[in-house]
């Protein structure tokens, strides 16, 4: 094909160059219409469709990165893309940000129920409200229905974290918000594009003039409207790329075959999760931290946020059917803070953990949740009211839920349990980043040092770009030695990040694991807690706690120490 690749056409195969310039390879044992009628999937074709669906999501992500303008999406890769079935179930995703991917199905289904039959080709939907399946307001989701001959056959969606969406602090991640209205522009349902026409006036109004039913609120709108509009255009383009690739797939295989394998991919994931659950039930049935009958095991785990709010999980696994119930009854009530987490975030943590525990190559999709029931008590901080502040639930509480689930499965020690959110800016800009830490050790591995753990999968802005585009100097960014918990297997070390500011800005920190350390497992020691400091020009070191907003002057330095991961096993 070119100077550095070769395509081999195996015996009993036929290669054809399509009009798009791709190579189509027909395999003699490919699926027939009889097999489709019998709902029997060809194992080779199943593998092909697994990767074709995932490849479409990956291409969407590359388009989004290339065409976006903001640092947060182009450089930090804080975005996700995925394909969904006509009923809104997740079919496949690229390996982007787990907390986005597990939650986006709730968003698509909410929009489908809201708009009903009022969807047509050329429509593009936009939303970010937690009560409509969102995570937190900076995560704006753009959803495009895919039609084939007038029939709705798929959805494609992209979710990007916009570093500025308004709210009481620059960067739209206020540490002390008490209401959703303080966190920026909130959009439940809006047609960003209607029958092919971009609704710029409408979206500008929503972004610049956040409205609420409480007239006393006068919250600033976005401070970077052009970045928002450019990134929304990029998300629309990414979705369009997905539509083009889906239609190519339909043209190649036919709609019936594509939708049949959409179902097979989900069924395959369901079966893989069932087998994993049966294996786990058999493994823990002789341990002392569970109760239950001969056909089931029940495990109880609990962990705490830094304010003392508890996440309580009762996990019951049916060892015969390979089913599980995740019951979060006993979890603390909604908090008067912003680490409340919408139900979609908890579902994202569950589906992520299940996918991690499955030791076969399957795309993360809705089938992973088919053998699972999730019960979250209304009014808890995992199922808050519509007006509750939630900006921290997506980035802090999701990590704690993940730690609780993986501990219940005895899979690994707790990781840093935080995304260490840093924002700074003024009335003209907002910058946002998350900072990695240590991951937890497991029975056969040491934890990884200085890594984005679990529910986040973003990267850091390059130091050169960071210093060139913002009024900062990066003094230090390296490993925080000996912060991982010790044990037979050692937890990963956290990070040290020191930033000097060259102009007055408002700095906000939203972090966790500053009070309760990441727990070790099976006798392993806890990882070190994190800490945040402001170093003044005269050398004073001021402790900022886990959540704070400060006005920083030129020459002052922010120092962030991120948590280490827990260790595994009693040290010899």
């Amino acid at each position: 094909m070119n100077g550095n690749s070769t395509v081999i056409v195996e015996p009993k195969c036929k290669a054809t160059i399509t009009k798009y310039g791709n190579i189509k390879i027909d395999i003699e044992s490919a699926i027939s219409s009889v097999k489709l009628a019998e709902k029997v999937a060809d194992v080779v074709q199943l593998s092909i469709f697994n990767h074709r669906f995932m490849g479409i999501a990956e291409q969407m992500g590359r388009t989004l990165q290339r065409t976006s303008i903001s640092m947060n999406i182009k450089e930090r890769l804080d975005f996700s893309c995925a394909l969904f079935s006509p009923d809104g179930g997740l079919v496949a995703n690229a390996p982007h940000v787990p907390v986005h991917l597990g939650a986006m199905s709730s968003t698509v289904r909410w929009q489908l129920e809201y708009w009903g039959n009022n969807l047509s080709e050329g429509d593009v939907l936009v939303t970010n409200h937690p009560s409509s399946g969102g995570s937190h307001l900076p995560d704006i989701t753009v959803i495009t229905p895919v039609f084939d001959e007038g029939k709705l056959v798929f959805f494609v969606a992209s979710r990007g974290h916009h570093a500025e969406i308004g709210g009481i602090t620059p960067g739209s991640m206020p540490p002390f918000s008490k209401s959703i209205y303080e966190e920026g522009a909130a959009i439940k349902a809006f047609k960003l594009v209607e029958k092919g026409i971009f609704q710029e006036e409408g979206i500008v109004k929503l972004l610049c003039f956040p409205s609420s039913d409480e007239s006393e609120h006068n919250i600033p709108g976005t401070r970077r409207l052009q970045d928002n509009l450019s990134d929304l255009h990029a998300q629309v383009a990414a979705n369009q790329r997905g539509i083009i690739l889906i239609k190519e797939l339909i043209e190649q295989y036919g709609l019936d075959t594509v939708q049949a394998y959409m179902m097979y991919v989900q069924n395959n994931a369901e079966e893989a999760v069932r087998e994993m659950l049966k294996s786990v039930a058999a493994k823990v049935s002789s341990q002392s931290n569970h109760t239950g009958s001969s056909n089931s095991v029940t495990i109880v785990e609990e962990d705490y946020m830094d304010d003392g709010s508890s996440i309580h999980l009762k996990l019951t696994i049916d060892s015969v059917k390979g089913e599980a119930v995740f019951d979060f009854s006993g979890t603390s009530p909604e908090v008067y803070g912003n680490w409340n987490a919408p139900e979609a975030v908890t579902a994202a943590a569950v589906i992520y953990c299940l996918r991690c525990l499955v030791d076969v190559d399957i795309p993360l999709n809705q089938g992973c949740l088919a053998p699972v029931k999730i019960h979250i008590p209304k009014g808890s901080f995992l199922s808050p009211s519509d007006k509750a502040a939630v900006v921290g639930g997506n980035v802090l509480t999701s990590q704690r839920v993940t730690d609780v689930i993986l501990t219940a499965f005895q899979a690994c020690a707790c990781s840093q349990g935080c995304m260490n959110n840093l924002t700074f800016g003024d009335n003209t800009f907002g910058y946002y980043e998350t900072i990695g830490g240590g991951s937890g050790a497991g029975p056969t591995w040491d934890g990884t040092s200085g890594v984005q753990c679990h529910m986040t999968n973003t990267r850091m802005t390059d130091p050169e770009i960071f210093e060139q585009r913002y009024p900062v100097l990066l003094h230090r960014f390296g490993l925080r030695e000996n912060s991982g918990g010790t044990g037979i297997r050692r937890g990963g070390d956290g990070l040290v990040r020191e930033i000097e500011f060259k102009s007055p800005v408002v700095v906000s920190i939203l972090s966790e694991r500053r009070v309760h350390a990441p727990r070790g497992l099976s006798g392993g020691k806890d990882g070190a807690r994190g800490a945040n400091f402001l170093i003044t020009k005269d050398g004073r070191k001021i402790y900022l706690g886990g959540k704070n907003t400060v006005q920083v002057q030129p020459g002052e330095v922010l120092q962030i120490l991120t948590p280490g991961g827990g260790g595994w096993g009693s040290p010899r």
Side-chain angles (χ1 to χ4, degrees), residues 31 332 501:
I31 188 164
S332 295
F501 296 91

Side-chain angles (χ1 to χ4, degrees), residues 99-143:
V99 75
H100 290 173
L101 297 165
M104 285 169 71
S105 178
S106 299
T107 309
V108 175
R109 284 176 165 164
W110 194 97
Q111 295 296 317
L112 181 59
E113 182 177 349
Y114 178 86
W115 293 103
N117 295 325
N118 189 21
L119 291 174
S120 59
E121 194 152 7
D123 287 349
V124 181
L125 314 176
V126 63
T127 180
N128 70 339
H129 203 291
S131 67
S132 56
S135 48
H136 62 181
L137 298 184
D139 284 341
I140 299 182
T141 306
V142 173
I143 304 164

Side-chain angles (χ1 to χ4, degrees), residues 2 47 190 244 260 277 312 342 515 569:
N2 54 44
S47 178
F190 181 72
I244 291 171
L277 291 172
H312 186 90
V515 176

Side-chain angles (χ1 to χ4, degrees), residues 395-475:
V395 293
L396 302 178
T397 309
S398 66
Q399 297 281 58
R400 198 61 39 83
V401 174
T402 302
D403 278 344
V404 169
I405 294 171
L406 292 177
T407 300
F409 278 99
Q410 295 289 290
C412 62
C414 293
S415 294
Q416 67 158 338
C418 177
M419 295 189 193
N420 302 293
N421 305 269
L422 169 65
T423 58
F424 60 82
D426 53 27
N427 291 329
T428 63
F429 80 98
Y431 172 80
Y432 170 69
E433 68 181 21
T434 60
I435 307 171
S439 69
T444 60
W445 69 87
D446 293 329
T448 303
S449 298
V451 67
Q452 300 276 7
C453 304
H454 294 317
M455 301 306 289
T456 180
N457 189 30
T458 58
R459 69 184 185 189
M460 301 300 294
T461 304
D462 288 339
E464 294 83 1
I465 296 175
F466 185 54
E467 293 183 338
Q468 180 183 16
R469 298 193 183 180
Y470 299 98
V472 295
L473 290 174
L474 183 60
H475 281 201

